[in-house]
Amino acid sequence: MTLDTLPIGQQAVITAVGGEGALRCRLLDMGLIPKTTVRVEKIAPLGDPIELRVRGYALSLRKEDARNISVEVKDL
């Protein structure tokens, strides 16, 4: 499953960060690294961008970029 398909309120653990070059580095620099828990907080009215809760802060990310992040749903 990728981050862009995660429903609102769902938590997941990042398993892999894809992309190439600058995009991958930018995602990692924003704290989106493997074994990190993320939660989808909001989705914009037109569906893009999505707001995530990562490491205690809010992060807005385009769906195109979120497709590069593989996640595993976390059981509560």
Side-chain angles (χ1 to χ4, degrees):
M1 167 181 262
T2 56
L3 190 55
D4 65 313
T5 62
L6 208 59
I8 295 174
Q10 182 71 57
Q11 282 191 335
V13 176
I14 297 173
T15 56
V17 178
E20 294 182 12
L23 171 63
R24 186 169 192 280
C25 288
R26 185 172 62 98
L27 294 172
L28 294 170
D29 287 345
M30 287 189 288
L32 298 169
I33 59 174
K35 299 183 184 174
T36 301
T37 300
V38 296
R39 183 175 69 229
V40 176
E41 293 288 322
K42 300 176 191 172
I43 298 176
L46 296 177
D48 198 23
I50 59 176
E51 182 180 313
L52 309 170
R53 177 65 57 180
V54 181
R55 299 179 178 264
Y57 70 92
L59 173 67
S60 291
L61 194 63
R62 293 181 300 207
K63 279 199 165 193
E64 180 182 336
D65 295 339
R67 274 188 205 102
N68 292 303
I69 302 168
S70 298
V71 296
E72 186 177 294
V73 175
K74 184 174 180 179
D75 294 325
L76 297 176

